[in-house]
Amino acid sequence: MAPARGKGSKRTPAKGNLSTRVSHAGRDRSLTHGGVNPVVQRASTVIVESAAKLFEPGGWTYGRHGTATHEALKEALCEIEGSSHCALAPSGLMACIIPFLAFAKHGGHVLVGDNVYGPTRRFVDRMLKRWGVEVTYFDPEISAGIAELIRADTSVLFVESPGSMTFEVADAPAMAAAARAAGVISVMDNTWSGGVFHKPLALGFDISVQANTKYVSGGADILNGAMHTNTEDVFTQLKDTVADLGSNVAPDDAYAVLRGARSLPLRMNQHEKAALIVARWLKNHPSVQRVLHPALEDDPGHALWKRDFTGSSGLFSIAVKKAPTEQVHAFLDALELFSLGFSYGGFESLAIHCDPQLKRTVSKPDLPGPLIRLSVGLEDPADLIADLEQALAKLG
Ligand SMILES: Cc1ncc(COP(=O)(O)O)c(C=O)c1O
């Protein structure tokens, strides 16, 4: 059996286009032991070869710091996000939270997009504030205007683009530049794009967060997250915070995420194609007032999306015609192929009612009717359209 590789060892760069690189990353023989896939190395204890190795800097000495399976996953994830370093987290939410824990300071200040994922906001409101960190929420369409909100004690700028319910697209390069000029760590929740269609690090962000729970794993059966960076110092701080927290990812989970990641580029292309077919059909439906999808030409975020993204995922929202909540529920309950569930990125289509979850304080979205989020899965879009058509009839 080949010796397990230490976490400080160099990764083998993969070659070719994204789908090729994702197929080949993390397959060094030291990680696979001759199989196609890495070993699932379940280890708390790591046996080192000599006393000197016990304290070797960068040595691989304890299971909490990762095993061969985690190394293999990280190599593939770095290929997807275009990052040199990546730290894993046991959920996407933890991957959103850890950058705050790593960089926010007691008595200091952070900036958070008004449209961020609800539980990210909940962490900021419930925990960060209690620990003496002041929070300013900002309009997700603020662009370079973010510079005016940056203070001498601001340490973190947290952006989610597009917002995962209301789909505003951030002016990422302008915001990253403002943060960099002020020495603020910029973080982008990049989950919508699956890491395939949007590269926040290349646009100047310090950290790109990916909830691998969604598109990257793709099977709706695993919770996982990653924080990516191209900066050594930022990575050290993230990695040390993960170590401080004792936060770890089970090797079986790492294996399952990697298995999903291999087909990510292919799946993203299908999600994109199918979602656009469904979204364009919905635009012409009399019960739909607005489709919130940045790849549609008349969407307010379209110009920024076109400039900064290379594609779109399967997640978008619709504002349906004004109707009492019971009627909105009747529409959702009538869906047969779209299941009702709080997630996306899996092979199965999902729908949720967003209004009860919109916790905005500084930039209320101007919506003409109840907001429904759809995650278009890998089913045939013609079947999904037929399902929506019969269910929308319940809206009257
Ligand atoms: C944009 C976004 N970020 C982060 C998360 C959190 O991921 P997880 O459910 O793995 O904690 C989610 C989950 O829905 C999400 O939509």
Side-chain angles (χ1 to χ4, degrees):
M1 212 184 245
R5 195 155 48 144
K7 66 180 166 149
S9 63
K10 242 171 108 52
R11 70 189 180 97
T12 321
K15 295 194 192 83
N17 289 326
L18 183 60
S19 49
T20 310
R21 285 186 278 121
V22 173
S23 295
H24 286 265
R27 288 181 46 198
D28 188 289
R29 205 173 171 83
S30 64
L31 304 174
T32 62
H33 296 184
V36 170
N37 292 293
V39 290
V40 179
Q41 189 177 18
R42 297 188 188 90
S44 54
T45 310
V46 174
I47 305 296
V48 296
E49 295 106 305
S50 67
K53 291 225 179 247
L54 279 171
F55 298 101
E56 193 176 69
W60 193 4
T61 52
Y62 196 57
R64 212 168 45 225
H65 307 309
T67 66
T69 324
H70 301 87
E71 280 307 303
L73 171 62
K74 287 194 273 183
E75 290 192 10
L77 297 179
C78 285
E79 294 296 342
I80 295 165
E81 285 276 348
S83 63
S84 58
H85 297 81
C86 143
L88 298 175
S91 69
L93 180 59
M94 271 301 271
C96 292
I97 286 171
I98 287 170
F100 287 108
L101 298 177
F103 295 101
K105 295 182 186 75
H106 176 78
H109 174 245
V110 297
L111 287 163
V112 179
D114 203 22
N115 61 346
V116 299
Y117 175 58
T120 303
R121 189 177 186 119
R122 181 185 142 99
F123 163 79
V124 165
D125 286 342
R126 280 174 45 83
M127 286 211 163
L128 269 196
K129 286 185 182 172
R130 186 153 48 83
W131 293 335
V133 179
E134 204 184 318
V135 180
T136 302
Y137 287 102
F138 60 83
D139 180 339
E141 290 164 316
I142 194 167
S143 186
I146 195 72
E148 286 164 36
L149 299 183
I150 295 178
R151 311 186 328 200
D153 61 350
T154 306
S155 55
V156 176
L157 166 70
F158 190 96
V159 180
E160 181 178 312
S161 179
S164 53
M165 277 192 289
T166 40
F167 299 93
E168 303 88 349
V169 181
D171 187 348
M175 297 178 84
R180 186 142 300 179
V184 170
I185 295 289
S186 52
V187 187
M188 168 76 77
D189 185 336
N190 190 29
T191 302
W192 181 81
S193 83
V196 170
F197 295 138
H198 189 217
K199 311 288 182 192
L201 302 181
L203 298 175
F205 270 75
D206 294 308
I207 300 171
S208 180
V209 167
Q210 190 59 233
N212 296 328
T213 305
K214 315 293 174 189
Y215 287 110
V216 176
S217 63
D221 56 358
I222 205 112
L223 290 161
N224 187 260
M227 295 152 282
H228 292 266
T229 184
N230 282 334
T231 311
E232 192 84 37
D233 289 354
V234 171
F235 177 63
T236 301
Q237 191 67 10
L238 289 172
K239 176 173 70 82
D240 287 351
T241 305
V242 170
D244 293 343
L245 290 168
S247 157
N248 193 20
V249 171
D252 299 80
D253 287 2
Y255 184 90
V257 175
L258 178 56
R259 191 171 170 145
R262 302 287 190 202
S263 62
L264 176 70
L266 184 71
R267 285 186 284 109
M268 291 310 286
N269 289 338
Q270 179 58 27
H271 283 296
E272 172 175 45
K273 210 162 65 181
L276 281 169
I277 293 171
V278 174
R280 292 208 159 98
W281 178 83
L282 283 163
K283 254 177 90 66
N284 294 319
H285 194 283
S287 297
V288 176
Q289 306 222 49
R290 198 180 137 196
V291 180
L292 291 76
H293 188 318
L296 294 183
E297 294 69 17
D298 59 352
D299 189 271
H302 184 68
L304 289 176
W305 170 82
K306 206 167 168 186
R307 187 191 69 187
D308 295 342
F309 289 69
T310 54
S312 55
S313 69
L315 191 72
F316 64 96
S317 289
I318 52 175
V320 295
K321 71 182 203 182
K322 282 204 173 78
T325 303
E326 308 79 70
Q327 231 166 312
V328 176
H329 285 183
F331 154 56
L332 289 170
D333 290 339
L335 289 166
E336 290 171 4
L337 293 180
F338 284 85
S339 310
L340 306 183
F342 288 104
S343 197
Y344 55 94
F347 57 88
E348 79 300 355
S349 290
L350 294 172
I352 50 168
H353 185 193
C354 298
D355 299 280
Q357 300 180 70
L358 293 176
K359 306 263 186 301
R360 307 280 285 249
T361 46
V362 298
S363 56
K364 295 252 186 283
D366 183 20
L367 298 168
L371 191 66
I372 306 295
R373 188 179 77 181
L374 300 174
S375 170
V376 170
L378 300 177
E379 302 94 332
D380 190 312
D383 294 330
L384 296 177
I385 286 173
D387 190 30
L388 287 163
E389 184 159 39
Q390 62 79 24
L392 279 167
K394 305 283 180 199
L395 275 173

